[in-house]
Amino acid sequence: MKKIIVADDEARIRRLVCDFLKKDGYEPLEADDGDVALELFKENPDVALLILDIMMPNMDGWTLCREIRKFSDVPVILLTARSQEFDELMGFEMGADDYVTKPFSPAVLMKRVGLLIKRAKHEDGSSSNVKVLGSLTIKEDAHEVLVDNVSIPLALKEYNILLKLVSKPGRVFTREQLLDDIWGYDYVGDMRTVDSHVARLRTKLGEWGNKHLKTVYGTGYKIEVN
């Protein structure tokens, strides 16, 4: 039974989400603020996904997501009562995988939970290949990226974007293609989400990223190799 952390300071929302998770065969772990959720996650490293409210006491959902991304690429869904574009963009900047605005349909939330867990499982064990492009090495079986033999911590979306781009060096992938392939066809969000993730990925890859991860203005991105 897969564990899922539900962090929300509203007890009514927590109970609602936890009830639906239990019906779908998951084991929900409850937290009423960000600090408790972080400790809960550290105590349960086998957690498959986190559902985090943005506006929580002690540590908000944005900060909690950023802290988790320092050592884990576990899928994260952010919940918020606000529908401002800034909230959504900030969530993805912090490394969130999905974003749901209250009030929400529990059935739709469960669908998104299932898709993220399925996608993460597929990505973790779908291949034992090792890709090498100059000083860049991608160990797909270990879900690890190295530049000059130094491990580079990437969030799940950043890793998936890199894997997509290096699958066909020289080919331009449009923002629409990356959004559909990485976020899924049912994702409803701004195209700038792709840009912010690619920018962060390029920065993390350092000199290799600046040299090889190219922007094709007005279109998308590609990996350029000699």
Side-chain angles (χ1 to χ4, degrees):
M1 185 178 292
K2 294 185 181 299
K3 299 177 182 177
I4 295 179
I5 291 177
V6 180
D8 196 311
D9 58 331
E10 293 186 62
R12 178 180 60 84
I13 298 296
R14 285 202 316 274
R15 286 196 297 268
L16 175 65
V17 174
C18 288
D19 285 345
F20 273 82
L21 288 172
K22 290 175 183 177
K23 289 179 181 178
D24 280 13
Y26 299 108
E27 179 184 348
L29 306 176
E30 295 187 51
D32 58 5
D33 67 47
D35 287 340
V36 173
L38 183 58
E39 289 304 312
L40 199 57
F41 182 63
K42 290 179 178 179
E43 294 169 1
N44 295 270
D46 58 336
V47 162
L49 182 141
L50 295 95
I51 300 174
L52 311 177
D53 181 42
I54 287 182
M55 304 307 293
M56 292 188 292
N58 300 322
M59 182 186 297
D60 60 43
W62 290 322
T63 304
L64 177 54
C65 185
R66 183 182 61 199
E67 289 300 309
I68 289 171
R69 283 292 172 260
K70 291 179 180 179
F71 58 90
S72 174
D73 59 4
V74 63
V76 173
I77 297 176
L78 289 180
L79 300 178
T80 181
R82 301 188 297 181
S83 58
Q84 297 179 15
E85 182 183 76
F86 170 79
D87 288 357
E88 183 172 353
L89 293 176
M90 177 65 76
F92 289 123
E93 284 289 340
M94 294 300 103
D97 296 281
D98 207 345
Y99 187 98
V100 176
T101 302
K102 300 176 184 177
F104 55 85
S105 162
V108 171
L109 177 61
M110 293 306 105
K111 181 67 173 179
R112 293 189 177 190
V113 166
L115 288 173
L116 279 175
I117 289 179
K118 181 179 179 180
R119 191 177 303 160
K121 180 180 179 181
H122 172 73
E123 287 154 359
D124 284 342
S126 62
S127 175
S128 60
N129 293 332
V130 175
K131 290 183 171 64
V132 179
L133 286 89
S135 59
L136 175 77
T137 301
I138 302 176
K139 299 180 179 180
E140 292 188 57
D141 55 342
H143 204 88
E144 184 177 17
V145 175
L146 303 97
V147 176
D148 291 323
N149 293 319
V150 176
S151 182
I152 308 297
L154 298 180
L156 182 60
K157 289 290 189 294
E158 298 163 359
Y159 174 83
N160 291 339
I161 290 172
L162 178 61
L163 206 60
K164 187 69 177 180
L165 294 176
V166 302
S167 67
K168 295 184 179 179
R171 171 181 168 177
V172 178
F173 289 88
T174 67
R175 291 174 174 82
E176 291 82 0
Q177 287 174 322
L178 293 173
L179 198 65
D180 288 343
D181 290 345
I182 307 303
W183 278 263
Y185 290 100
D186 60 342
Y187 170 73
V188 178
D190 196 286
M191 203 68 66
R192 285 175 294 178
T193 295
V194 176
D195 296 334
S196 63
H197 278 74
V198 171
R200 190 164 58 249
L201 171 62
R202 183 184 286 118
T203 298
K204 289 184 177 181
L205 294 176
E207 183 179 347
W208 193 96
N210 291 327
K211 183 178 180 180
H212 298 287
L213 206 173
K214 300 296 183 180
T215 300
V216 181
Y217 292 99
T219 305
Y221 301 93
K222 69 175 180 177
I223 294 295
E224 190 174 85
V225 294
N226 296 328

